[in-house]
């Protein structure tokens, strides 16, 4: 256990009267005769901020209703125990922002730990689902909205004069996440009368990027960071993931969704046995050399009509898989991995216009990044981007935003010294964040910090075959593996997961710690994890 001192300045704000309890590894509910309420403690503003308000409410046991936040529908989490719901609103003086930090504290049965929940797309935090699940499992839970809007509402990107709102971008990039950690620990200390024994961060996609930002910039905030399918190298990959649309628009070729599916199915079938057995999973799509021209002339039934795959269709798919490059052929970023779903609503989405013609339907996150943060015109038509203009935008994004939101600093030495542990998994068929971007970052860390073994001491990466974006959520006990590593020194050599193969069947697989790969033993049920072993990539 690592105790940390919270650095804070400015005047305190009353929150709840401190309830002092005996120090223990967990609150087992023995204090039931002295029920807690959200009464008064002091929250001091994290450095550089002021506390605008504190609202605290005792919530009874029952269901948590999560509101509809487009594109996600409303939902409900049942069986949530009684908890104290605290909202602290922070501002950075002179910047006009208002960032909310929410902390939910189970009234009984606290396990002595903090779990902070990350965001998704352009949302910086959680709207209730992750918080409720964490509280159900005994954690004190926290999240922040960073003062921005929701998943796809980026009206905050530019100020009234059309300039980038750098204050809110800094919040979204990393500043608010650190401040949430500071506030959450204070609130926990005031409510329970002692500090959390261990602090964890849990996020996927944008949440994964936030976890890496914490490890890179605030290495003392968390004992363990679970950062999956991370949106690191944000300034580069966000532009890179607009590439499928740029290709289709410039080649004036728009394959249907079923054509994209046919290319993926053929590639997966051709490369299925690379791990030693045909099991409906491609262990490493980066090694798959399937040539999409093999489908030229194939007849398919799409949308009730017969279509024939053309050479132009195959050329578009090849460019998308290869990833963005300059007009001279220099590679800029990795492409969508083979097997990753390309069709609408994903990166190569197409839709029919009023005349029935197929047109590109860009995924909103990279489209908005280019329109608002690069062109500074929210209504900008990304379908007009040429190949040469794409390269210019890629370079512009690097130049303007790498230091703010790149989240790709390979020097994790301070995090290692702090004793922190970083665990990541990434789907090998991630259709939204190219898997090889995470692999590339891990390799940069190894080069910076002395090789695989030294990095494995505190940072482990697992790649999941056949898995889409954030597709292992709920299919593996990743947080349990991280806790065992942090609290008992049991570094995970494998991560057991439930995967879905091309037939739709569920199989178990022990994901290997990178750079090792999974290899069929030559006997046994291909659906069972025990039929595979982890081997160095040179033997694969």
């Amino acid at each position: 256990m690592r105790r940390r001192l919270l650095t804070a300045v400015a005047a305190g704000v009353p929150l709840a009267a401190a309830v002092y309890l005996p120090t223990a590894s967990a609150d087992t509910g023995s204090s039931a005769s002295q029920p807690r309420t959200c009464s008064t403690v002091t929250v001091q503003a994290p450095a550089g901020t002021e506390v605008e308000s504190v609202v605290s409410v005792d919530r009874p046991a029952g269901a948590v209703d999560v509101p509809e936040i487009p594109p996600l529908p409303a939902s409900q989490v049942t069986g949530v125990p009684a908890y104290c719901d605290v909202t602290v609103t922070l501002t950075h003086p002179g910047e006009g922002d208002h960032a909310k930090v929410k902390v939910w504290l189970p009234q009984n049965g606290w396990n002595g730990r903090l779990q902070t929940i990350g965001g998704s797309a352009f949302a910086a935090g959680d709207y209730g689902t992750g918080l409720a699940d964490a509280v159900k499992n005994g954690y004190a839970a926290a999240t922040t909205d960073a003062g921005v809007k929701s998943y796809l509402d980026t009206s905050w990107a530019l100020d009234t004069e059309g300039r980038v709102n750098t204050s809110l971008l800094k919040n979204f990039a990393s500043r608010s996440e650190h401040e949430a950690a500071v506030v959450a620990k204070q609130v926990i200390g005031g409510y329970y009368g002692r500090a959390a024994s261990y602090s964890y961060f849990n996020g996927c996609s944008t949440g994964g990027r936030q976890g890496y930002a914490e490890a890179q910039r605030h290495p003392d905030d968390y004992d363990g960071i679970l950062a999956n399918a991370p949106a690191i190298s944000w300034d580069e990959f966000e532009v890179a993931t607009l590439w499928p649309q740029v290709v289709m628009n410039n080649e004036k070729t728009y394959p249907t969704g079923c054509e994209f599916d046919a290319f993926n199915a053929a590639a997966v079938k051709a490369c299925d046995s690379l791990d030693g057995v045909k099991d409906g999973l491609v262990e490493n799509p980066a090694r798959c050399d399937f040539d999409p021209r093999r489908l030229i002339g194939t007849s398919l039934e799409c949308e009730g009509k017969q279509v024939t795959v053309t050479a132009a269709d195959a050329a578009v798919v090849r460019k998308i898989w290869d990833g963005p490059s300059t007009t001279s052929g220099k590679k800029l970023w990795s492409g969508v991995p083979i097997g990753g779903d390309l069709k609408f609503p994903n990166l190569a989405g197409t839709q029919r216009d009023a005349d029935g013609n197929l047109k590109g339907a860009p995924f909103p996150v990279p489209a908005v990044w280019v329109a608002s943060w690069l062109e500074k015109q929210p209504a900008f038509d990304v379908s007009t981007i040429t190949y040469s203009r794409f390269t210019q935008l890629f370079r512009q994004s690097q130049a303007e935003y790498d230091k703010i939101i790149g989240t790709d600093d390979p020097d994790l030495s301070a995090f290692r010294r702090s004793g922190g542990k970083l665990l990541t998994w990434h789907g090998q068929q991630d259709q939204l964040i190219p898997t090889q971007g995470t692999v590339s970052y891990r390799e940069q860390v190894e080069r910076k910090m002395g090789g695989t073994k030294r990095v494995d001491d505190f940072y482990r990466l697992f790649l999941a075959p056949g898995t889409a974006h954030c597709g292992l959520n709920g299919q593996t006990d990743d947080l349990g593996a991280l806790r065992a590593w942090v609290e008992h020194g049991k570094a995970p050599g494998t991560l057991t997961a439930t995967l879905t193969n091309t037939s739709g069947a569920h199989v178990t697989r022990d994901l290997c710690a990178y750079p090792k790969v999974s290899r069929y033993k030559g006997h046994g049920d291909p659906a069972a994890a025990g039929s595979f072993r982890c081997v160095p990539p040179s033997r694969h």
Side-chain angles (χ1 to χ4, degrees):
M1 179 186 71
R2 293 177 297 155
R3 298 287 186 186
R4 297 191 178 93
L5 295 176
L6 300 178
T7 54
V9 298
V13 173
L15 172 61
V19 179
Y20 292 97
L21 300 173
T23 299
S25 60
D27 172 10
T28 60
S30 59
S31 59
S33 60
Q34 302 175 15
R36 299 187 184 89
T37 59
C38 295
S39 40
T40 40
V41 273
T42 300
V43 172
Q44 288 189 313
T49 74
E50 292 179 356
V51 176
E52 290 190 312
S53 67
V54 176
V55 177
S56 55
V57 181
D58 277 310
R59 305 289 186 187
V64 170
D65 292 313
V66 181
E68 177 185 5
I69 308 288
L72 299 184
S75 61
Q76 187 180 75
V77 182
T78 59
V80 181
Y83 63 96
C84 177
D85 177 355
V86 179
T87 302
V88 180
T89 303
L90 303 176
T91 187
H92 296 88
E95 298 186 29
D97 61 332
H98 311 282
K100 290 182 171 60
V101 178
K102 294 192 73 68
V103 187
W104 290 8
L105 306 128
Q107 290 183 7
N108 294 290
W110 180 44
N111 65 16
R113 301 171 178 89
L114 163 66
Q115 182 183 161
T116 300
I117 311 296
S120 179
F122 285 106
D126 179 68
Y127 293 100
T129 303
L131 291 170
D133 286 340
V135 169
K136 284 179 67 173
N137 285 293
Y139 292 88
T143 199
T144 179
D145 69 3
V148 300
K149 302 290 184 177
S150 62
Y151 301 112
L152 300 178
D153 183 349
T154 55
S155 56
W156 57 271
L158 305 177
D159 62 22
T160 55
E161 297 181 7
R163 297 172 301 192
V164 170
N165 190 324
T166 55
S167 177
L168 290 181
L169 184 58
K170 288 178 182 178
N171 282 2
F172 177 68
S174 64
R175 185 166 61 173
S176 288
E177 205 59 64
H178 167 62
E179 291 160 0
V182 173
V183 167
K185 291 177 183 180
Q186 288 191 57
V187 171
I188 287 171
Y191 186 71
Y192 294 111
R194 66 181 180 89
S197 299
Y198 298 97
S199 297
Y200 294 94
F201 182 89
N202 186 355
C204 191
S205 193
T206 286
R209 185 196 60 75
Q210 291 168 321
Y212 275 75
E214 281 292 288
Q216 293 166 13
R217 300 185 178 190
H218 304 286
D220 292 324
D221 279 354
Y222 293 99
D223 301 290
I225 294 175
L226 182 61
N228 302 320
I232 52 176
S233 303
W234 178 281
D235 56 308
E236 296 165 317
F237 105 84
E238 281 300 358
V239 182
T241 48
L242 196 60
W243 176 251
Q245 297 291 321
V246 173
V247 170
M248 292 190 296
N249 290 326
N250 280 269
E251 303 300 326
K252 296 185 170 42
T253 298
Y254 302 90
T256 61
C258 71
E259 287 176 285
F260 281 129
D261 285 346
F263 280 109
N264 267 334
V268 170
K269 182 178 180 180
C271 297
D272 187 356
S273 60
L274 289 177
D275 60 354
V277 65
K278 283 188 174 292
D279 59 353
L281 295 169
V282 177
E283 170 70 22
N284 184 3
R287 294 184 64 237
C288 182
D289 59 358
F290 176 78
D291 187 344
R293 291 178 297 182
R294 291 169 58 180
L295 261 62
I296 294 173
T298 300
S299 180
L300 304 169
E301 184 175 337
C302 297
E303 302 174 1
K305 299 179 181 179
Q306 289 297 121
V307 300
T308 300
V309 176
T310 67
D313 294 327
V316 163
V317 171
R318 178 78 276 162
K319 281 180 173 289
I320 291 172
W321 283 346
D322 287 345
S325 61
T326 66
T327 53
S328 63
K330 183 179 179 180
K331 188 176 182 67
L332 294 172
W333 202 252
S334 299
V336 180
I338 287 175
D341 190 358
L342 293 168
K343 64 182 182 296
F344 183 84
N346 298 313
L347 299 182
T350 57
Q351 289 183 318
R352 296 195 181 276
D353 62 17
D355 298 323
N357 299 314
L358 280 173
K359 296 295 181 183
F363 190 68
V365 177
V368 167
W369 178 256
V370 169
S372 293
W373 277 273
L374 298 180
E375 296 288 356
K376 281 79 171 177
Q377 302 173 52
F380 176 76
D381 183 359
V382 296
S383 71
T384 64
I385 298 173
T386 63
Y387 284 132
S388 59
R389 179 60 180 151
F390 176 87
T391 299
Q392 293 170 352
L393 290 167
F394 188 87
R395 300 301 190 201
Q396 177 190 348
S397 190
Q398 288 178 309
E400 294 183 6
Y401 299 108
D402 178 63
K403 291 183 179 180
I404 299 175
I405 198 171
T407 326
D408 54 5
D409 183 356
D411 186 357
L412 298 177
S413 55
F415 184 70
R416 180 178 61 191
R417 286 194 302 271
S418 77
K421 308 299 181 188
L422 171 61
L423 191 154
T424 293
W425 54 254
H426 201 145
Q428 287 279 32
Q429 291 184 357
D430 194 316
Q431 75 278 26
L432 300 178
I433 298 179
T435 314
Q436 288 302 307
T438 301
V439 172
S440 176
Y441 174 80
R442 161 72 196 213
E443 292 173 344
Q444 291 174 49
V445 174
E446 289 184 8
R447 289 194 294 270
K448 180 73 175 180
M449 300 188 63
T452 300
K453 290 184 178 180
R454 292 200 68 189
V455 173
D456 276 349
D457 286 344
F458 69 95
Y459 169 25
R460 298 208 174 188
L461 168 65
F462 300 86
L463 303 179
T467 301
H469 186 60
C470 291
L472 276 191
N473 286 341
Q475 302 302 308
T476 183
D477 187 15
D478 46 8
L479 185 57
L482 180 61
R483 276 180 51 174
W485 193 9
V486 168
E487 299 176 23
H488 304 292
K490 297 179 180 178
T494 60
L495 191 65
T496 302
T498 300
L499 308 178
T500 303
N501 65 19
T502 52
S503 300
H506 294 307
V507 303
T508 59
R509 184 68 61 85
D510 289 333
L511 308 181
C512 304
Y514 184 86
K516 288 185 177 180
V517 294
S518 183
R519 181 77 175 178
Y520 184 60
K521 292 179 178 178
H523 55 83
D525 182 359
S531 300
F532 295 80
R533 68 184 187 277
C534 294
V535 300
S538 59
R539 293 174 53 194
H540 185 51

